[in-house]
Amino acid sequence: MGGAALDGLPGWVTLLRAPNPGPMTLDGTNTWVLRAPGDELGFVIDPGPLDEGHLRRIAEHGPFRAILITHGHHDHVEGAPRLSEMLGGTPIETAPFDSEGLSIEILDTPGHTADSVCFLVKSGNVRSMFTGDTILGRGSTVVAAPDGDLGSYLDSLTVLTAYENVLMLPGHGPAQNDVAAHARFYLDHRRERLAQVEDAMARGAETPEEVVDLVYPDIDPAVRFAAIFSAKAQLDYLRHKNRESGTRADGLDRL
């Protein structure tokens, strides 16, 4: 994969990993606590599942100005209302912020879900991109209908390729050195997959299950459902391009 894992985090970032490991969550949801030196109030990104022990650990790092959410999947947001309650009503928001030590900018990055955003955070001369599930620290992201949209997702990855040498702090998996390098890697991977799906369609595959049988013949049964979700998104995308162009999915070179 493009880029390399970070040896350490910026001093104003703390990782608190939720105890929810699994095939889709990898080692668990990454909850990020941000507090610049000298700032009284910090921020929490993605408090994770409704797990009292995990939420208590987050609360111990308070007080916070806001709880920020990258997208609405339960493994990122389920614990947010309870954490807000534990913190005495800290607001749950998706909003830009400026404090003495931190600047938080929002990038709309739909595709994994319609509401997905990334947070570009700057402290001093260091910028970090908190990518949620738009780009993971390991493996690839599932784009599943109806909330996910592959065309939007490819556009969002293209946006992220502009952030060269910006640290990437994902919703799952390890932090990485360069979000732009990972975005390019993801785009290349999606190009290859779309070409494989297009070939499977030419060989007669019409359903997501048939695509998975041809494109992912050795897939782990535990994650086959995710491959079927992905295949449906790929078929929808290719068929839409076919309807627009009147040809087989031309334009893959423009992704």
Side-chain angles (χ1 to χ4, degrees), residues 106-227:
I106 300 171
L107 277 71
D108 288 324
T109 52
H112 172 67
T113 60
D115 64 350
S116 286
V117 299
C118 294
F119 296 106
L120 179 64
V121 183
K122 182 177 180 181
S123 180
N125 294 322
V126 177
R127 293 192 301 167
S128 297
M129 187 76 75
F130 294 83
T131 58
D133 284 359
T134 298
I135 306 181
L136 306 181
R138 185 175 73 248
S140 61
T141 295
V142 173
V143 176
D147 197 29
D149 179 82
L150 186 53
S152 296
Y153 184 64
L154 296 170
D155 290 342
S156 294
L157 291 177
T158 301
V159 168
L160 292 174
T161 63
Y163 293 87
E164 298 281 353
N165 300 313
V166 173
L167 305 179
M168 187 187 92
L169 304 177
H172 304 277
Q176 301 288 339
N177 275 322
D178 189 347
V179 67
H182 271 65
R184 287 192 294 269
F185 176 86
Y186 264 44
L187 281 168
D188 289 344
H189 173 70
R190 296 289 169 168
R191 289 189 188 103
E192 293 171 3
R193 281 291 187 230
L194 284 168
Q196 292 169 347
V197 173
E198 187 181 25
D199 180 67
M201 294 168 69
R203 293 159 60 191
E206 296 183 354
T207 68
E209 291 79 6
E210 290 169 344
V211 167
V212 170
D213 289 340
L214 291 176
V215 175
Y216 309 87
D218 301 319
I219 193 165
D220 184 342
V223 294
R224 178 179 167 83
F225 74 95

Side-chain angles (χ1 to χ4, degrees), residues 227-238:
I228 291 172
F229 287 153
S230 293
K232 184 181 187 309
Q234 291 156 351
L235 285 170
D236 289 346
Y237 176 80
L238 290 169

